Amino acid sequence: MPQRPARVTQRDLAEETGLSTATVSYALRGMQVPPETQQRVREAAERLGYQADPIARALASGRTGYIGVLCRSLTDVWQQATAAALGRRLLGDGRHALIVDASNDPVLEATLASQLADQRVDALIVLPVDPAAAHWAAVAERTVLISIGDGLPGGAAHAEVVFDNEAGITDALHGLAAAGHRRIAVMTPGGMTTPDRPAETVAEQVARRLGLHVTLHRSPHDLDGAAAIARAVLTGQDPPTAFLCMADSMAYGVYAGARELGMEVPGDVSVVGYDDHPLSRLLTPPLSTYRWPVELLVDLVVERTVKAITSGRRSRRRVLPPVAQPRGSVGPPNAPRPEPK
């Protein structure tokens, strides 16, 4: 069998340039040597076909170049898009994303976070299932920890880019009340309430002020699961005339569940989403929802991640406001249909 060609080493570059291996190493990293020496070494490296050994580089620097991205649930189309955007942005910075899915399970989340830290990722970016979980403090001691969407109590994260969910929920419920709705179902991905995920608290406060009857329903992100929740709510006692869904993917389930029951949006039930995924504009009617500035989010997260990796410095919390995207899925509540004689 043909022998594999020998890898060109830094010793080879030293012999080619007449420099010491230490000088070559510094020049390749752009450190402690004049620019003309760096250029001389780079030209020799290109001429000889030198490629850095990633394992050796990791051992020397203490960094692997890999960033964990731990998502709450990749059945949520918004999280899919956000994780993909993070992966592209990190790759443009010379780093690689390891994207994993906690399946909305706090126990699995704890296991995956620990496993990613075991793999010596340079940082872990997390969209947490349970922001208040005790395991985050331990993870933060082992790697840089960045949180998206929810803050991590106790200051465990090196940076937090969170959403102003209170403003979004309040605005959505006021809008539905202004359209005439008094019975509103809120579909949410988890049963826990945190300072940055205040669906239950805010819904109760707004309901009291506006005289609304608001109920909370835990829902998965996948279409069939969300549709099943919507059907159960719509066929229950005193069904709602409107839904506020804390993810567009759940709103898709309400569309599906309503139509399976012979109901129309918004004639029989109004629907508001929360994410403004591009697919939401293709629904019939297009989904009223809330947009988060994803490009800004990704830039802020990557900037803060790199800063924490390279300098160990923490960043101030950044809160992103929602932007309402009113479309055709909200209308006045339908008048009661006469009972058949």
Side-chain angles (χ1 to χ4, degrees):
M1 295 184 63
Q3 292 185 339
R4 295 175 60 185
R7 175 188 289 271
V8 177
T9 67
Q10 292 186 13
R11 184 182 296 276
D12 297 324
L13 294 182
E15 293 177 356
E16 176 73 11
T17 58
L19 301 170
S20 69
T21 53
T23 300
V24 166
S25 177
Y26 285 130
L28 290 170
R29 288 180 285 166
M31 300 169 54
Q32 301 185 20
V33 295
E36 56 270 21
T37 302
Q38 296 178 32
Q39 181 64 26
R40 179 178 164 193
V41 172
R42 283 196 293 267
E43 289 175 352
E46 185 176 351
R47 187 166 59 251
L48 297 180
Y50 171 81
Q51 293 182 330
D53 184 341
I55 297 176
R57 182 173 56 193
L59 290 172
S61 66
R63 299 173 188 155
T64 63
Y66 287 92
I67 310 294
V69 179
L70 177 52
C71 298
R72 182 166 57 247
S73 175
L74 285 174
T75 56
D76 177 9
V77 290
W78 184 86
Q79 290 188 53
Q80 291 176 24
T82 301
L86 283 168
R88 290 192 297 270
R89 180 69 173 76
L90 288 166
L91 187 60
D93 196 63
R95 303 168 197 271
H96 302 277
L98 298 177
I99 300 172
V100 293
D101 181 5
S103 299
N104 218 32
D105 182 342
V107 176
L108 178 59
E109 176 181 70
T111 300
L112 292 172
S114 179
Q115 290 176 346
L116 287 166
D118 288 342
Q119 294 182 43
R120 300 181 62 83
V121 291
D122 296 335
L124 176 58
I125 299 170
V126 58
L127 291 86
V129 176
D130 183 1
H135 60 257
W136 296 124
V139 172
E141 292 178 355
R142 301 169 62 193
T143 190
V144 167
L145 183 60
I146 310 293
S147 183
I148 296 178
D150 296 279
L152 304 181
H158 286 75
E160 297 174 343
V161 181
V162 304
F163 302 139
D164 192 347
N165 287 308
E166 182 174 356
I169 295 167
T170 300
D171 186 76
L173 291 176
H174 273 82
L176 289 170
H181 296 280
R182 291 295 176 266
R183 298 193 310 279
I184 302 170
V186 177
M187 293 176 65
T188 178
M192 61 199 68
T193 295
T194 72
D196 296 305
R197 197 184 302 175
E200 182 174 353
T201 303
V202 174
E204 289 177 353
Q205 293 172 348
V206 175
R208 283 197 301 270
R209 289 199 300 267
L210 300 180
L212 307 178
H213 177 65
V214 175
T215 56
L216 269 75
H217 307 273
R218 185 172 182 176
S219 171
H221 289 280
D222 67 279
L223 181 63
D224 291 341
I229 298 296
R231 287 195 305 271
V233 173
L234 288 168
T235 55
Q237 188 174 9
D238 294 326
T241 60
F243 282 81
L244 168 58
C245 302
M246 300 307 297
D248 280 11
S249 55
M250 295 178 189
Y252 304 160
V254 176
Y255 272 63
R259 286 174 179 166
E260 289 170 13
L261 295 173
M263 303 174 71
E264 296 182 353
V265 176
D268 296 299
V269 62
S270 290
V271 187
V272 176
Y274 209 70
D275 292 335
D276 194 29
H277 190 274
L279 290 175
S280 298
R281 300 195 297 270
L282 302 179
L283 299 178
T284 304
L287 176 67
S288 297
T289 184
Y290 286 81
R291 175 180 297 166
W292 302 102
V294 175
E295 290 187 6
L296 175 60
L297 166 71
V298 170
D299 286 343
L300 289 170
V301 168
V302 173
E303 173 192 331
R304 283 157 168 72
T305 301
V306 172
K307 174 182 174 181
I309 292 171
T310 56
S311 70
R313 293 170 56 193
R314 294 177 179 268
S315 298
R316 294 176 60 185
R317 163 187 277 232
R318 182 67 180 268
V319 180
L320 299 182
V323 180
Q325 304 295 310
R327 298 190 181 112
S329 63
V330 174
N334 195 21
R337 296 179 180 178
E339 294 292 334
K341 295 182 179 179

